[in-house]
Amino acid sequence: MAVEIIMPKMGMAMKEGTVAIWHKKVGDTVKKGELIASIQSEKIEAEIEAPADGTIIDISVSEGIGVPPGAVIGYIGNKNEQVPSQPDPATQATEHQEIAATVEIDKKRKKATNQASNGKIKISPVARKMAEAAGLSIEHIHGTGPQGRITKEDVTEALAQNDAEKGEMKAAAVEASKQLKVEGMRKVIADRMYTSIQHTAQLTLNSKADVTELQALQRKLTSIAEKNHHNKLTITDFIAKAVVLSLQKHEQMNSAYVNEHIQQFANIHLGIAVALENGLVVPVIKHAEQASLLHISQQIKLLAQKAREGTLESEEMAGSTFTISNLGAYGIEHFTPILNPPETGILGVGAIEVRPAFIGENIEKRSYLPLSLTFDHRVLDGAPAAAFLKTVVQLLEEPHALLL
């Protein structure tokens, strides 16, 4: 005689259970106690074991279908046995309430081991998917289902505990960190940079200059300068001279936006940013339009030395009309320098890159210098700013013009 497979009553409040997965199909032979289906209600998941030895001769309730506890969801019998006539599911449920109640699951039972007798962890399919998606190891999740089976509620609880532990770790990290009061030079820099961003319309243009010939000229002139003036010429010195000549040609860049007026300066006071251990200072080469390449080089070195020694006078850091910031020593290429208020422009200099390039029909090794120009769009538009940057590039690529 065929044996009914009953939807169990999983908890006193359960009104309906759903077949999540059938692990067996019609025609499969099963042994009593063998897993044949996974079911779930709103709050609980469980597995149904075969109530007898035999063959699955009918599956009455398909996967995803919900029925009341006590309803017949399938039959086990002999291989060719006929399926009994099936009454209304509600009638079935009423008739089998007592049977369903005998397999009621107490979710509050003591936590059982996750290991079945064969060492395999028992976990519902839904719970397994949740754990895999969250990257949780099921070996460390305590199961509260039958025989220690892990349910979706167990995974949810494990996730909540995991989040709580992460929160505690973050809190501990915050407690372990130290807070530094923003004061002195750092406070001045912070205030000036914030003011610069808040009160200007900044835009940055990027370009590159082929400085292969410039490097050759620099090496040649350096030996002469060291011999006659005890001074080594650097690429920064040539860049500074190129900027000064470009500012003379493009006067709009040598200006400031003050009280809704554009103030163009008659003289060029060139700021050279110097990085210190605790901040940044910008000493100024006054009247740079009157200075030779050698004088600019000497002033850059003198002011940088005084900056590092902390002996710069306040007037040596005031009145700049344009600034150069060089991060090439740090391997940086293009970057976005921030305006030094109230100036209209600042030129960022990156690290020289050596790469092959076509020169006519031939491939040669060339050196390229990245340049980043940030300007105040309230003072001038992109085209004149680009023209200024183009002039700087041309002077660096035709370095003998810097000596005239």
Side-chain angles (χ1 to χ4, degrees), residues 308-323:
R308 296 186 182 99
E309 294 173 350
T311 59
L312 278 174
E313 301 292 338
S314 57
E315 60 267 20
E316 292 177 312
M317 296 183 287
S320 59
T321 61
F322 189 94
T323 295

Side-chain angles (χ1 to χ4, degrees), residues 71-123:
V72 176
I73 62 174
Y75 290 89
I76 296 175
N78 297 322
K79 188 172 183 180
N80 297 317
E81 186 174 354
Q82 295 295 314
V83 178
S85 59
Q86 301 179 25
D88 178 80
T91 304
Q92 286 182 331
T94 302
E95 292 176 352
H96 296 93
Q97 283 296 322
E98 185 174 347
I99 298 174
T102 62
V103 292
E104 178 179 350
I105 296 170
D106 181 6
K107 191 168 185 281
K108 295 182 180 179
R109 72 179 60 181
K110 66 180 181 179
K111 291 185 177 180
T113 175
N114 287 354
Q115 301 288 335
S117 58
N118 61 359
K120 183 179 180 181
I121 296 175
K122 303 185 74 175
I123 181 171

Side-chain angles (χ1 to χ4, degrees), residues 337-349:
I338 299 177
L339 289 176
N340 184 21
E343 298 171 11
T344 291
I346 179 172
L347 183 69
V349 180

Side-chain angles (χ1 to χ4, degrees), residues 318-384:
S320 59
T321 61
F322 189 94
T323 295
I324 295 175
S325 178
N326 193 335
L327 294 180
Y330 300 94
I332 301 299
E333 291 188 3
H334 290 295
F335 61 101
T336 305
I338 299 177
L339 289 176
N340 184 21
E343 298 171 11
T344 291
I346 179 172
L347 183 69
V349 180
I352 292 176
E353 175 191 13
V354 178
R355 56 184 174 85
F358 276 102
I359 305 299
E361 297 296 325
N362 301 318
I363 296 179
E364 297 182 11
K365 184 172 70 174
R366 310 293 292 184
S367 298
Y368 291 91
L369 177 71
L371 299 172
S372 303
L373 173 69
T374 296
F375 66 97
D376 190 342
H377 216 315
R378 298 176 304 168
V379 176
L380 71 167
D381 297 325

Side-chain angles (χ1 to χ4, degrees), residues 168-374:
E168 291 175 0
M169 291 176 63
K170 288 181 179 179
V174 171
E175 291 178 1
S177 64
K178 61 180 180 180
Q179 293 185 343
L180 302 176
K181 185 176 180 180
V182 180
E183 57 185 356
M185 182 183 294
R186 187 75 261 158
K187 181 68 165 61
V188 172
I189 294 173
D191 290 343
R192 286 181 64 84
M193 294 300 98
Y194 181 77
T195 299
S196 175
I197 292 294
Q198 291 292 313
H199 295 96
T200 57
Q202 301 193 24
L203 181 66
T204 302
L205 304 178
N206 296 313
S207 186
K208 285 188 176 182
D210 184 341
V211 293
T212 309
E213 279 75 22
L214 174 60
Q215 288 179 313
L217 179 63
Q218 179 248 337
R219 289 191 292 269
K220 183 177 181 179
L221 293 181
T222 289
S223 60
I224 298 174
E226 287 182 327
K227 179 180 179 180
N228 297 332
H229 305 281
H230 306 290
N231 183 80
K232 181 179 179 180
L233 294 175
T234 67
I235 293 296
T236 300
D237 301 335
F238 287 92
I239 295 171
K241 183 61 177 180
V243 166
V244 171
L245 294 176
S246 297
L247 289 172
Q248 289 180 292
K249 183 176 180 179
H250 304 274
E251 296 180 349
Q252 277 183 288
M253 192 62 71
N254 192 50
S255 62
Y257 190 94
V258 181
N259 297 325
E260 298 185 356
H261 289 79
I262 298 174
Q263 181 178 352
Q264 290 189 356
F265 301 109
N267 302 111
I268 298 172
H269 304 315
L270 187 63
I272 304 292
V274 178
L276 305 178
E277 184 177 349
N278 60 339
L280 180 80
V281 294
V282 184
V284 182
I285 302 173
K286 301 294 178 62
H287 301 285
E289 77 280 1
Q290 301 174 10
S292 65
L293 175 64
L294 178 62
H295 181 71
I296 288 176
S297 176
Q298 292 171 334
Q299 284 295 298
I300 289 175
K301 292 172 179 59
L302 175 62
L303 292 171
Q305 181 181 349
K306 294 178 70 173
R308 296 186 182 99
E309 294 173 350
T311 59
L312 278 174
E313 301 292 338
S314 57
E315 60 267 20
E316 292 177 312
M317 296 183 287
S320 59
T321 61
F322 189 94
T323 295
I324 295 175
S325 178
N326 193 335
L327 294 180
Y330 300 94
I332 301 299
E333 291 188 3
H334 290 295
F335 61 101
T336 305
I338 299 177
L339 289 176
N340 184 21
E343 298 171 11
T344 291
I346 179 172
L347 183 69
V349 180
I352 292 176
E353 175 191 13
V354 178
R355 56 184 174 85
F358 276 102
I359 305 299
E361 297 296 325
N362 301 318
I363 296 179
E364 297 182 11
K365 184 172 70 174
R366 310 293 292 184
S367 298
Y368 291 91
L369 177 71
L371 299 172
S372 303
L373 173 69
T374 296

Side-chain angles (χ1 to χ4, degrees), residues 380-403:
L380 71 167
D381 297 325
F388 166 81
L389 184 56
K390 182 179 180 180
T391 299
V392 174
V393 170
Q394 289 174 339
L395 288 169
L396 294 176
E397 292 183 340
E398 301 172 1
H400 288 87
L402 300 173
L403 307 179

